[in-house]
Amino acid sequence: MELLNWLSLASICILGAMTPGPSLAVVLKHTISGSRKNGVYTSVFHGLGVIIYAVLTVLGMAVIITETPWLFNLIRYTGVAFLLWLSFKALTNKSTFNGQVAKVEPPSLKKSAYEGFMIAFLNPKLAIFFLALFSQFIDENSLWQQKVVMVLTVGGIDTLWYCLIALVFSQSTMMEKLKKNSYIIEKITGVALLLVATKIFFI
């Protein structure tokens, strides 16, 4: 793959990863309620979900999804249900009267990995995005090595970006401020996820 083409692909992926959305909310939630390690686990498994869609796109599965609306809608509405569940958990999280979140069991690494993966895997629009993106770089003459580079690029950029978010927001001074306002952050996250789920449902 030519360097110029790779830089173009990487630039688009970076901009896509930096766009705020439910993935960012989930990474921040696990970083704040758990630890830096929880945030990193969420990020890595979110990247794994992205890689799966990238691989399916390269293999042509994205075309099947676009040609079978029932399958696309099944995945889409499952994703909506998952977002609503996350929103419900955030909005109903118990708190004390002084604005602090009550002492609760921090999320396990397994839970962080699960929610990180599912927030990506239950987003079928990734397949449509990759189909549109990859079509600009792949043709019938493309080598498998080029396809591997593209898959690793999109997955790697996504993983690195969210790991960076987890590392930055887990710094002691910033983390202390975030934990003091974690109740507010939980509610903002819940509302954001609810709005995203509503938007997806009515599209």
Side-chain angles (χ1 to χ4, degrees), residues 141-200:
N141 299 317
S142 298
L143 299 175
W144 67 267
Q145 291 94 332
Q146 177 179 343
K147 297 177 181 179
V148 170
V149 169
M150 294 176 68
V151 169
L152 293 179
T153 296
V154 298
I157 287 176
D158 180 271
T159 302
L160 289 175
W161 170 251
Y162 286 115
C163 281
L164 178 62
I165 292 294
L167 293 175
V168 169
F169 281 88
S170 62
Q171 296 298 319
S172 58
T173 54
M174 185 172 292
M175 179 59 71
E176 184 178 350
K177 293 179 181 179
L178 289 172
K179 285 187 178 294
K180 287 181 179 179
N181 296 282
S182 57
Y183 173 70
I184 297 175
I185 294 172
E186 281 277 355
K187 303 312 171 188
I188 293 175
T189 299
V191 172
L193 292 174
L194 179 61
L195 291 175
V196 171
T198 303
K199 180 180 178 181
I200 294 175

Side-chain angles (χ1 to χ4, degrees), residues 51-65:
I51 286 177
I52 288 177
Y53 269 118
V55 171
L56 291 177
T57 303
V58 167
L59 295 178
M61 291 299 293
V63 178
I64 297 177
I65 293 176

Side-chain angles (χ1 to χ4, degrees), residues 38-102:
N38 288 89
V40 170
Y41 264 63
T42 307
S43 303
V44 170
F45 279 84
H46 182 276
L48 178 60
V50 169
I51 286 177
I52 288 177
Y53 269 118
V55 171
L56 291 177
T57 303
V58 167
L59 295 178
M61 291 299 293
V63 178
I64 297 177
I65 293 176
T66 58
E67 293 180 352
T68 52
W70 66 269
L71 178 58
F72 178 82
N73 286 330
L74 176 63
I75 300 175
R76 181 161 67 104
Y77 292 130
T78 302
V80 169
F82 184 69
L83 289 175
L84 289 174
W85 179 78
L86 291 179
S87 175
F88 173 79
K89 295 289 287 184
L91 291 173
T92 58
N93 194 24
K94 295 180 180 180
S95 63
T96 60
F97 290 106
N98 63 1
Q100 297 290 321
V101 174

Side-chain angles (χ1 to χ4, degrees), residues 23-43:
S23 299
L24 176 62
V26 170
V27 171
L28 285 177
K29 173 187 173 184
H30 282 270
T31 302
I32 296 170
S33 60
S35 65
R36 175 183 298 179
K37 198 170 184 178
N38 288 89
V40 170
Y41 264 63
T42 307
S43 303

Side-chain angles (χ1 to χ4, degrees), residues 1-2 4-6 8-9 12 57 128-140 142 146 150:
M1 188 175 189
E2 295 182 0
L4 184 59
N5 287 339
W6 182 83
S8 299
L9 173 67
I12 296 172
T57 303
I128 308 303
F129 172 75
F130 288 140
L131 179 61
L133 178 62
F134 286 179
S135 65
Q136 307 303 312
F137 301 95
I138 294 179
D139 56 35
E140 63 275 7
S142 298
Q146 177 179 343
M150 294 176 68

